[in-house]
Amino acid sequence: MDKFKLAPSLLSADFSNLGNSALEAEKGGADLLHVDVMAGHFVPNISFGSAVMKSLNDITALNYDVHLMIENPGDYIEDFVCEKTEYITVHQEACLHAHRILQKIRSLGVKAGISLNPATPLCMLEEILTDVDLVLIMSVNPGFGGQKFIPSSLDKIKRLAEVRRERDLDFLIEVDGGVTLENASDIARAGADILVAGSAVFGASDVAARTRAFKELK
């Protein structure tokens, strides 16, 4: 198993002390901060916007992995671009013109990602895999933290990794939803390069220690 990167999801952090939560994850060796953006339409929940994300700019050294779970994501790309934004990922299901939006993200100097909900087949990405830096496989139905990993997601990750090998592409595979210490190694062995963990990290009494425990997995 190649070593995976860990992107703790701020959706599960302590919103009353977000800066400290980010610092604890950084201290534990996190690679990115996953920023889940929800507006109550594409998914049935509301999280936070770009101002909250940018409030961490001078607090943590970690870059942002922005996940736009919103309708019309192309209208909001610029809001989430700052010097710490490494990835912006949009949902295939929310994009009428995905290729155009991915090009827009890249034109702003940010790596572009596309995400699939659990019920959306991989074939929906066939024509745009050459235009992405990252594919995010949702292993729960998006909208709320703390859900259980959908077991069939492992096969989906394996099939995507095989497509990547067959087509000699270099996009990263990210997995979000129900990631725990118990299943993280299996997910990485299936082909995932970046694991998003929310409650499994920020729900711990010692966030830094829990982050280290993820990073020490074999």
Side-chain angles (χ1 to χ4, degrees):
M1 176 185 72
D2 293 331
K3 197 62 181 173
F4 60 83
K5 291 184 177 181
L6 182 68
S9 172
L10 290 174
L11 183 64
S12 298
D14 179 0
F15 277 24
S16 69
N17 199 0
L18 205 56
N20 184 65
S21 294
L23 283 174
E24 286 298 301
E26 180 182 340
K27 187 168 78 173
D31 299 284
L32 296 159
L33 285 177
H34 191 76
V35 180
D36 283 309
V37 180
M38 300 179 284
H41 296 285
F42 180 67
V43 293
N45 199 1
I46 297 173
S47 59
F48 47 77
S50 59
V52 172
M53 179 191 84
K54 292 174 182 176
S55 72
L56 301 174
N57 282 359
D58 297 326
I59 295 176
T60 176
L62 295 175
N63 284 347
Y64 304 135
D65 171 31
V66 181
H67 181 191
L68 297 181
M69 291 182 279
I70 57 177
E71 294 179 351
N72 304 311
D75 295 340
Y76 303 94
I77 300 300
E78 289 93 343
D79 293 345
F80 290 90
V81 174
C82 67
E83 64 274 12
K84 297 175 70 64
T85 307
E86 185 165 351
Y87 296 96
I88 293 180
T89 296
V90 296
H91 269 261
Q92 187 277 337
E93 302 88 352
C95 296
L96 183 60
H97 302 291
H99 184 264
R100 180 183 299 163
I101 294 174
L102 294 168
Q103 284 186 320
K104 182 176 183 178
I105 294 170
R106 283 180 155 180
S107 74
L108 295 169
V110 177
K111 296 173 185 174
I114 194 82
S115 183
L116 290 182
N117 284 337
T120 305
L122 290 176
C123 63
M124 298 300 291
L125 299 183
E126 184 175 349
E127 303 301 330
I128 57 172
L129 285 177
T130 56
D131 301 298
V132 299
D133 300 290
L134 178 147
V135 175
L136 170 54
I137 298 296
M138 291 301 302
S139 43
V140 299
N141 289 293
F144 297 93
Q147 299 182 67
K148 290 186 177 180
F149 183 87
I150 297 174
S152 60
S153 301
L154 277 180
D155 178 64
K156 195 173 190 179
I157 298 162
K158 291 175 183 176
R159 287 186 284 117
L160 179 59
E162 182 60 27
V163 169
R164 179 172 61 180
R165 285 191 295 271
E166 290 176 351
R167 295 181 59 179
D168 194 26
L169 299 173
D170 59 1
F171 61 81
L172 298 182
I173 299 173
E174 183 173 50
V175 177
D176 182 2
V179 175
T180 66
L181 283 173
E182 290 71 32
N183 63 19
S185 293
D186 289 338
I187 296 169
R189 275 191 287 268
D193 306 291
I194 304 174
L195 303 188
V196 178
S199 54
V201 170
F202 289 116
S205 57
D206 188 332
V207 170
R210 179 62 59 82
T211 304
R212 281 193 294 272
F214 268 98
K215 295 295 293 181
E216 290 168 359
L217 287 171
K218 305 296 184 182

